[in-house]
């Protein structure tokens, strides 16, 4: 199973951590399954940017971003060339290093 290393994030994962998830799982599902409660306001339907992550290592192993995801990413806070919507990025057999951006464009956070 691929290992996902999550870099420290002040709210979701203050110390950083490593998790595993089966290939074929989205990054968002893997995070949620491991109690890293990343925002996902559209319920993982590729309709917002709240689950935006930056893939620091392993980007090439993920499925290619489709046009709908690319269009949404244009609105994400802190967009970088390695940015993906975690609900659309599907794990392969390679390990990843991801960073959850400090902010989202979502003004009302869920579960708070």
């Amino acid at each position: 199973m691929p290992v996902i290393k999550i870099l420290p994030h002040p709210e979701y994962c203050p110390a950083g951590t490593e998790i595993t998830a089966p290939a074929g799982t989205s990054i968002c599902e893997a995070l949620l399954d491991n109690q890293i409660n990343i925002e996902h306001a559209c319920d993982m339907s590729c309709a917002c940017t709240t689950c935006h992550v930056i893939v620091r290592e392993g980007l090439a192993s993920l499925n290619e971003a489709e046009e709908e995801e690319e269009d949404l990413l244009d609105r994400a806070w802190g967009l970088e060339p390695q940015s993906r919507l975690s609900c659309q990025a599907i794990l392969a057999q390679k390990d990843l290093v991801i960073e959850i951006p400090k902010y989202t464009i979502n003004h009302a956070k869920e579960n708070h």
Side-chain angles (χ1 to χ4, degrees), residues 7 10 13 20 26 36 52-53 66 73 79 89-90 92 95 102 105:
L7 299 177
C13 191
T20 58
S26 74
I36 299 169
H52 169 223
V53 297
E66 294 186 14
L73 278 169
L79 181 68
I90 307 301
D95 295 347
K102 187 172 181 181
I105 62 169

Side-chain angles (χ1 to χ4, degrees), residues 20-111:
T20 58
T25 303
S26 74
I27 293 173
C28 189
E29 291 170 312
L31 294 172
L32 295 171
D33 288 348
N34 286 276
Q35 289 69 54
I36 299 169
N37 296 318
I38 188 170
E39 285 187 64
H40 55 290
C42 72
D43 221 14
M44 298 185 274
S45 64
C46 195
C48 73
T49 63
T50 59
C51 72
H52 169 223
V53 297
I54 301 163
V55 182
R56 295 292 180 204
E57 292 178 25
L59 180 66
S61 71
L62 299 171
N63 61 313
E64 213 169 297
E66 294 186 14
E67 189 174 339
E68 184 179 14
E69 179 185 358
E70 297 277 356
D71 290 346
L72 282 168
L73 278 169
D74 287 340
R75 295 187 247 155
W77 184 91
L79 181 68
E80 295 193 15
Q82 314 88 300
S83 288
R84 290 295 306 264
L85 296 181
S86 65
C87 70
Q88 299 301 302
I90 307 301
L91 298 171
Q93 297 294 338
K94 294 245 182 196
D95 295 347
L96 300 178
V97 176
I98 66 163
E99 180 179 349
I100 302 170
K102 187 172 181 181
Y103 302 107
T104 72
I105 62 169
N106 198 18
H107 295 292
K109 291 185 180 247
E110 296 180 13
N111 301 318

